Amino acid sequence: MNRDDAAAVVRRYYKAFQAGDAVAVHEALGRVLAPEFVLDSPIVRDRLGAPATGAQGAAIAVQAAVLLQHAEVTSLHFTIDGAAVVALIRFPTPAGAVWQSEHFQLDPATGTITGLRSFYDPRPLLSR
């Protein structure tokens, strides 16, 4: 997968959060997330004790729409083969802006996201 294609997949992921209501967000994410999608983040691990997979991972991503609908992608970084992308994002919350590093694993054959691992300080999100 070349960089332009990989960037397009990641941008479609963030664009999905602007689709409107939860049903529209779920449908938009369904076009970019692989069925075996794995989601890992500090809050997911705190709540589940492990990464979320498949439909559960997608459902948790939909729940994040209220926060990520205004996410600003500040930079994208790629592996040589384009199968992994790191996005640095910033999004507003009632507790102030949160910076997050998101590490995407892509399936070059399908153009979908197979894994997402997010790194951030969850404290501002948990204090809501």
Side-chain angles (χ1 to χ4, degrees):
M1 177 175 282
N2 67 45
R3 286 181 177 200
D4 290 339
D5 292 341
V9 171
V10 171
R11 291 193 188 286
R12 281 196 311 271
Y13 171 80
Y14 291 113
K15 182 87 170 147
F17 293 110
Q18 300 169 359
D21 64 17
V23 172
V25 170
H26 185 268
E27 289 174 0
L29 284 174
R31 292 188 288 276
V32 73
L33 300 180
E36 69 277 7
F37 174 68
V38 177
L39 176 64
D40 193 5
S41 76
I43 290 178
V44 170
R45 282 194 179 258
D46 181 61
R47 293 190 178 154
L48 302 178
T53 60
Q56 182 184 42
I60 291 171
V62 169
Q63 293 171 3
V66 71
L67 294 173
L68 295 179
Q69 67 183 343
H70 299 295
E72 172 192 0
V73 178
T74 62
S75 63
L76 293 175
H77 305 274
F78 306 89
T79 57
I80 292 173
D81 64 1
V85 178
V86 175
L88 181 60
I89 66 169
R90 178 182 181 274
F91 57 92
T93 74
V98 171
W99 286 90
Q100 189 164 310
S101 174
E102 299 205 305
H103 299 233
F104 294 87
Q105 283 300 129
L106 309 178
D107 180 345
T110 62
T112 58
I113 300 167
T114 60
L116 172 57
R117 188 160 186 199
S118 296
F119 297 90
Y120 56 91
D121 179 356
R123 290 175 294 188
L125 303 174
L126 296 173
S127 65
R128 298 179 353 157

